[in-house]
Amino acid sequence: MMKNFWYALEFADRVTRKPARVTCLGQEFVLYRDRAGKPVCMSDLCVHRGGSLAQGTVSGDRITCPYHGWEFDPDGACTKIPANAEGRTIPRKARVDAYPTEERYGMVWAFIGDLPEAERPPIPHIPQHDDPAFRMVQVEMEMDANYERVFENAVDASHTPFVHGTAFGNPDKPQIPDFAIRSDDWSAEADIPMSPPPPKGLWGWLSKRRQRPEHVVVTNGWYLPNVVKLHVRLSIGELILYDFNIPVSQDKTLIKILGYRNFFTGAWADDNARKRIEKILLQDRPVVEAQRPELLPFDLADELHVRSDGLQVAYRRRRNQLIKDGWWVGGDDIIAMPGPRRNATVIASPTRREHPELASAWVHRARNGSQPR
C-alpha cells in the first residue's frame, strides 16, 4: 500500500453534512462537507482519547467529537475544549490530521500523505465524465483480497478468455498480440486487439443490426496508485470503465467503478449496464480471492512473467521505485487491524511537514510499545 497519492474515497453523492467513516490504507477517515459544500477529510481518531469523529456531529464547518465534545476545524486544529476552565488555552498539539480534498469526476478524492502541493502526483483525467455523449453508472463491490491482486487482475488482458469466456472473452482465440505500452511516471496503457464473442441480451440485439468486426481494440491501463481503465470499442459503441481499487486493509479491497457508455444512454438502460459490470466482478472474485501468495511479491523474479504481462511488469517496476523512495505504508502506519492494539499511528498529513515540532501530536503510542512495565 502506498501513501503520497490522491485516493478516490467515496462517490461524491454519498458525502453529505453528516460525518461518515471510510477506510483506506488500513486507516480510518471521516468525511463530511463544510457549509460551502466542500468535502473535508480527517483522520477518524480524536487526539484526546481516540474517539471516532465519524460518530460526532458537524456544526458550521467544525466537527465535534462525541466523547468529550472537542471541536475541530477543517484544517484539523482544535477550536474548543468544553472541559477547559475559562481563560485556559488550547494546546497547540490539540489537532488531528486533515488531508487535502478534491471533488472531481463524481468522486471525493483525498491526498493521503505529507507532500507539498507542487510535488503531488496528479489525479487521473477522466474525459468522458463531462462529455454529454456518455452516460455513467456507479458500481461497488468488496473482494477479500489484497488491492494489488485485484488491481493487476483488472489490467490483465490474458485472463479474459478463461475467466470471462461467457461474457466478453473468447476461449477459442486466447492469443494476445504483442502490444506497445505508453507510459509516464504515474500511468501506463496499451491498445490490445481482442476477439470477444458476440454480446447477448439487449446489447446483442443492437449488435445484430450492425456489422460485427473480427477484432475489437481494448485499451487497458493503470493510474497510480490504484486505478484501472478498461476501454472497450464495441460495434454498438464505446464502454469505458474506471476501476478504483480501494485498499481497506491488507486482505480486503473495496472496488468502486464509474462505467461510461455512449450507447443506450437513457436512464432505462442503467440497471442493465450495472448488471453487466457486476457480472464481470463476480467472475473475477473467486479467482482473485484464491490467489497465493495473497500479497504481491516485491521481487520481480518471484513470479513468472511473459510478454502479455507487460502492463503488470511496468506497474511492479514503478512500484518498487516508489518503495525505495519511502512511499510504502509500513506496519506501524496501519491502525485498522483485527485484534486489540496498544499503538495507533496516523499517516502524516501535509501539516506535519509544515510544523515538524507538532509531529508527535498525531502519534498515539502506549509507553514502551505493546508491553507495560
PDB file of all heavy atoms in Angstrom, residues 155 181-184 186-190 220-224 311 314-315:
ATOM      1  N   VAL A 155      -6.243  -5.088 -14.898  1.00  0.00           N
ATOM      2  CA  VAL A 155      -5.455  -4.581 -16.018  1.00  0.00           C
ATOM      3  C   VAL A 155      -4.989  -5.706 -16.939  1.00  0.00           C
ATOM      4  O   VAL A 155      -4.504  -5.462 -18.039  1.00  0.00           O
ATOM      5  CB  VAL A 155      -4.252  -3.766 -15.484  1.00  0.00           C
ATOM      6  CG1 VAL A 155      -3.082  -4.669 -15.118  1.00  0.00           C
ATOM      7  CG2 VAL A 155      -3.808  -2.715 -16.483  1.00  0.00           C
ATOM      8  N   ILE A 181       3.426  -0.266 -25.006  1.00  0.00           N
ATOM      9  CA  ILE A 181       2.959   0.396 -23.792  1.00  0.00           C
ATOM     10  C   ILE A 181       3.342   1.869 -23.833  1.00  0.00           C
ATOM     11  O   ILE A 181       4.493   2.219 -24.095  1.00  0.00           O
ATOM     12  CB  ILE A 181       3.558  -0.274 -22.538  1.00  0.00           C
ATOM     13  CG1 ILE A 181       3.077  -1.726 -22.424  1.00  0.00           C
ATOM     14  CG2 ILE A 181       3.183   0.514 -21.277  1.00  0.00           C
ATOM     15  CD1 ILE A 181       3.695  -2.478 -21.274  1.00  0.00           C
ATOM     16  N   ARG A 182       2.355   2.714 -23.595  1.00  0.00           N
ATOM     17  CA  ARG A 182       2.587   4.153 -23.440  1.00  0.00           C
ATOM     18  C   ARG A 182       2.601   4.448 -21.934  1.00  0.00           C
ATOM     19  O   ARG A 182       1.644   4.108 -21.234  1.00  0.00           O
ATOM     20  CB  ARG A 182       1.478   4.950 -24.130  1.00  0.00           C
ATOM     21  CG  ARG A 182       1.288   4.596 -25.603  1.00  0.00           C
ATOM     22  CD  ARG A 182       0.157   5.405 -26.232  1.00  0.00           C
ATOM     23  NE  ARG A 182      -1.145   5.080 -25.661  1.00  0.00           N
ATOM     24  CZ  ARG A 182      -1.921   4.081 -26.062  1.00  0.00           C
ATOM     25  NH1 ARG A 182      -1.506   3.264 -27.029  1.00  0.00           N
ATOM     26  NH2 ARG A 182      -3.100   3.873 -25.503  1.00  0.00           N
ATOM     27  N   SER A 183       3.633   5.088 -21.452  1.00  0.00           N
ATOM     28  CA  SER A 183       3.732   5.266 -20.001  1.00  0.00           C
ATOM     29  C   SER A 183       4.389   6.579 -19.640  1.00  0.00           C
ATOM     30  O   SER A 183       5.097   7.198 -20.443  1.00  0.00           O
ATOM     31  CB  SER A 183       4.516   4.107 -19.376  1.00  0.00           C
ATOM     32  OG  SER A 183       5.853   4.105 -19.834  1.00  0.00           O
ATOM     33  N   ASP A 184       4.112   7.010 -18.406  1.00  0.00           N
ATOM     34  CA  ASP A 184       4.839   8.109 -17.781  1.00  0.00           C
ATOM     35  C   ASP A 184       5.076   7.697 -16.329  1.00  0.00           C
ATOM     36  O   ASP A 184       4.924   6.527 -15.978  1.00  0.00           O
ATOM     37  CB  ASP A 184       4.088   9.441 -17.914  1.00  0.00           C
ATOM     38  CG  ASP A 184       2.683   9.399 -17.327  1.00  0.00           C
ATOM     39  OD1 ASP A 184       2.438   8.608 -16.383  1.00  0.00           O
ATOM     40  OD2 ASP A 184       1.814  10.159 -17.806  1.00  0.00           O
ATOM     41  N   TRP A 186       3.323   8.088 -13.780  1.00  0.00           N
ATOM     42  CA  TRP A 186       2.151   7.785 -12.970  1.00  0.00           C
ATOM     43  C   TRP A 186       1.127   6.892 -13.673  1.00  0.00           C
ATOM     44  O   TRP A 186       0.099   6.562 -13.076  1.00  0.00           O
ATOM     45  CB  TRP A 186       1.476   9.084 -12.528  1.00  0.00           C
ATOM     46  CG  TRP A 186       2.453  10.072 -11.989  1.00  0.00           C
ATOM     47  CD1 TRP A 186       2.798  11.277 -12.530  1.00  0.00           C
ATOM     48  CD2 TRP A 186       3.258   9.932 -10.815  1.00  0.00           C
ATOM     49  NE1 TRP A 186       3.751  11.891 -11.776  1.00  0.00           N
ATOM     50  CE2 TRP A 186       4.066  11.086 -10.705  1.00  0.00           C
ATOM     51  CE3 TRP A 186       3.375   8.925  -9.837  1.00  0.00           C
ATOM     52  CZ2 TRP A 186       4.973  11.279  -9.663  1.00  0.00           C
ATOM     53  CZ3 TRP A 186       4.285   9.113  -8.804  1.00  0.00           C
ATOM     54  CH2 TRP A 186       5.075  10.283  -8.724  1.00  0.00           C
ATOM     55  N   SER A 187       1.385   6.503 -14.917  1.00  0.00           N
ATOM     56  CA  SER A 187       0.383   5.711 -15.631  1.00  0.00           C
ATOM     57  C   SER A 187       1.029   4.892 -16.738  1.00  0.00           C
ATOM     58  O   SER A 187       2.168   5.159 -17.152  1.00  0.00           O
ATOM     59  CB  SER A 187      -0.697   6.617 -16.224  1.00  0.00           C
ATOM     60  OG  SER A 187      -0.154   7.444 -17.245  1.00  0.00           O
ATOM     61  N   ALA A 188       0.271   3.906 -17.217  1.00  0.00           N
ATOM     62  CA  ALA A 188       0.685   3.110 -18.373  1.00  0.00           C
ATOM     63  C   ALA A 188      -0.573   2.551 -19.020  1.00  0.00           C
ATOM     64  O   ALA A 188      -1.539   2.207 -18.333  1.00  0.00           O
ATOM     65  CB  ALA A 188       1.619   1.978 -17.961  1.00  0.00           C
ATOM     66  N   GLU A 189      -0.571   2.461 -20.355  1.00  0.00           N
ATOM     67  CA  GLU A 189      -1.707   1.880 -21.046  1.00  0.00           C
ATOM     68  C   GLU A 189      -1.261   1.293 -22.371  1.00  0.00           C
ATOM     69  O   GLU A 189      -0.184   1.625 -22.890  1.00  0.00           O
ATOM     70  CB  GLU A 189      -2.831   2.898 -21.251  1.00  0.00           C
ATOM     71  CG  GLU A 189      -2.504   4.047 -22.178  1.00  0.00           C
ATOM     72  CD  GLU A 189      -3.706   4.968 -22.375  1.00  0.00           C
ATOM     73  OE1 GLU A 189      -4.562   5.051 -21.474  1.00  0.00           O
ATOM     74  OE2 GLU A 189      -3.781   5.601 -23.451  1.00  0.00           O
ATOM     75  N   ALA A 190      -2.102   0.404 -22.911  1.00  0.00           N
ATOM     76  CA  ALA A 190      -1.782  -0.256 -24.174  1.00  0.00           C
ATOM     77  C   ALA A 190      -3.074  -0.578 -24.902  1.00  0.00           C
ATOM     78  O   ALA A 190      -4.102  -0.891 -24.274  1.00  0.00           O
ATOM     79  CB  ALA A 190      -0.980  -1.532 -23.922  1.00  0.00           C
ATOM     80  N   ASN A 220      -6.277  -1.198 -22.193  1.00  0.00           N
ATOM     81  CA  ASN A 220      -6.087  -1.481 -20.768  1.00  0.00           C
ATOM     82  C   ASN A 220      -5.057  -0.504 -20.225  1.00  0.00           C
ATOM     83  O   ASN A 220      -4.031  -0.264 -20.872  1.00  0.00           O
ATOM     84  CB  ASN A 220      -5.572  -2.914 -20.559  1.00  0.00           C
ATOM     85  CG  ASN A 220      -6.625  -3.961 -20.825  1.00  0.00           C
ATOM     86  OD1 ASN A 220      -7.384  -3.850 -21.780  1.00  0.00           O
ATOM     87  ND2 ASN A 220      -6.677  -4.982 -19.996  1.00  0.00           N
ATOM     88  N   GLY A 221      -5.319   0.049 -19.055  1.00  0.00           N
ATOM     89  CA  GLY A 221      -4.353   0.971 -18.488  1.00  0.00           C
ATOM     90  C   GLY A 221      -4.463   1.073 -16.987  1.00  0.00           C
ATOM     91  O   GLY A 221      -5.470   0.686 -16.400  1.00  0.00           O
ATOM     92  N   TRP A 222      -3.398   1.572 -16.357  1.00  0.00           N
ATOM     93  CA  TRP A 222      -3.435   1.817 -14.918  1.00  0.00           C
ATOM     94  C   TRP A 222      -2.914   3.221 -14.614  1.00  0.00           C
ATOM     95  O   TRP A 222      -2.137   3.790 -15.366  1.00  0.00           O
ATOM     96  CB  TRP A 222      -2.634   0.779 -14.127  1.00  0.00           C
ATOM     97  CG  TRP A 222      -1.209   0.519 -14.528  1.00  0.00           C
ATOM     98  CD1 TRP A 222      -0.725  -0.554 -15.222  1.00  0.00           C
ATOM     99  CD2 TRP A 222      -0.040   1.324 -14.221  1.00  0.00           C
ATOM    100  NE1 TRP A 222       0.641  -0.454 -15.388  1.00  0.00           N
ATOM    101  CE2 TRP A 222       1.085   0.671 -14.777  1.00  0.00           C
ATOM    102  CE3 TRP A 222       0.139   2.523 -13.541  1.00  0.00           C
ATOM    103  CZ2 TRP A 222       2.378   1.181 -14.664  1.00  0.00           C
ATOM    104  CZ3 TRP A 222       1.437   3.046 -13.433  1.00  0.00           C
ATOM    105  CH2 TRP A 222       2.531   2.367 -13.986  1.00  0.00           C
ATOM    106  N   TYR A 223      -3.446   3.751 -13.519  1.00  0.00           N
ATOM    107  CA  TYR A 223      -3.025   5.049 -12.998  1.00  0.00           C
ATOM    108  C   TYR A 223      -2.700   4.849 -11.522  1.00  0.00           C
ATOM    109  O   TYR A 223      -3.536   4.335 -10.763  1.00  0.00           O
ATOM    110  CB  TYR A 223      -4.141   6.084 -13.135  1.00  0.00           C
ATOM    111  CG  TYR A 223      -4.634   6.289 -14.549  1.00  0.00           C
ATOM    112  CD1 TYR A 223      -5.674   5.517 -15.052  1.00  0.00           C
ATOM    113  CD2 TYR A 223      -4.066   7.263 -15.369  1.00  0.00           C
ATOM    114  CE1 TYR A 223      -6.136   5.696 -16.353  1.00  0.00           C
ATOM    115  CE2 TYR A 223      -4.520   7.455 -16.663  1.00  0.00           C
ATOM    116  CZ  TYR A 223      -5.556   6.666 -17.153  1.00  0.00           C
ATOM    117  OH  TYR A 223      -6.009   6.834 -18.434  1.00  0.00           O
ATOM    118  N   LEU A 224      -1.494   5.228 -11.137  1.00  0.00           N
ATOM    119  CA  LEU A 224      -1.112   5.062  -9.727  1.00  0.00           C
ATOM    120  C   LEU A 224      -1.968   5.950  -8.830  1.00  0.00           C
ATOM    121  O   LEU A 224      -2.334   7.064  -9.219  1.00  0.00           O
ATOM    122  CB  LEU A 224       0.367   5.413  -9.544  1.00  0.00           C
ATOM    123  CG  LEU A 224       1.360   4.434 -10.173  1.00  0.00           C
ATOM    124  CD1 LEU A 224       2.779   4.954 -10.020  1.00  0.00           C
ATOM    125  CD2 LEU A 224       1.231   3.048  -9.544  1.00  0.00           C
ATOM    126  N   LEU A 311       1.941  -4.863 -18.874  1.00  0.00           N
ATOM    127  CA  LEU A 311       1.405  -3.780 -18.055  1.00  0.00           C
ATOM    128  C   LEU A 311       1.628  -4.040 -16.564  1.00  0.00           C
ATOM    129  O   LEU A 311       1.925  -3.114 -15.801  1.00  0.00           O
ATOM    130  CB  LEU A 311      -0.086  -3.596 -18.341  1.00  0.00           C
ATOM    131  CG  LEU A 311      -0.431  -2.867 -19.641  1.00  0.00           C
ATOM    132  CD1 LEU A 311      -1.909  -3.021 -19.968  1.00  0.00           C
ATOM    133  CD2 LEU A 311      -0.057  -1.392 -19.559  1.00  0.00           C
ATOM    134  N   ALA A 314       5.283  -3.403 -15.769  1.00  0.00           N
ATOM    135  CA  ALA A 314       5.543  -1.959 -15.700  1.00  0.00           C
ATOM    136  C   ALA A 314       5.091  -1.396 -14.361  1.00  0.00           C
ATOM    137  O   ALA A 314       5.779  -0.544 -13.768  1.00  0.00           O
ATOM    138  CB  ALA A 314       4.823  -1.255 -16.849  1.00  0.00           C
ATOM    139  N   TYR A 315       3.946  -1.870 -13.866  1.00  0.00           N
ATOM    140  CA  TYR A 315       3.472  -1.421 -12.561  1.00  0.00           C
ATOM    141  C   TYR A 315       4.441  -1.841 -11.461  1.00  0.00           C
ATOM    142  O   TYR A 315       4.816  -1.030 -10.603  1.00  0.00           O
ATOM    143  CB  TYR A 315       2.086  -1.991 -12.265  1.00  0.00           C
ATOM    144  CG  TYR A 315       1.702  -1.858 -10.802  1.00  0.00           C
ATOM    145  CD1 TYR A 315       1.412  -0.614 -10.257  1.00  0.00           C
ATOM    146  CD2 TYR A 315       1.678  -2.973  -9.963  1.00  0.00           C
ATOM    147  CE1 TYR A 315       1.099  -0.474  -8.910  1.00  0.00           C
ATOM    148  CE2 TYR A 315       1.359  -2.844  -8.625  1.00  0.00           C
ATOM    149  CZ  TYR A 315       1.073  -1.600  -8.101  1.00  0.00           C
ATOM    150  OH  TYR A 315       0.770  -1.470  -6.773  1.00  0.00           O
TER     151      TYR A 315
END
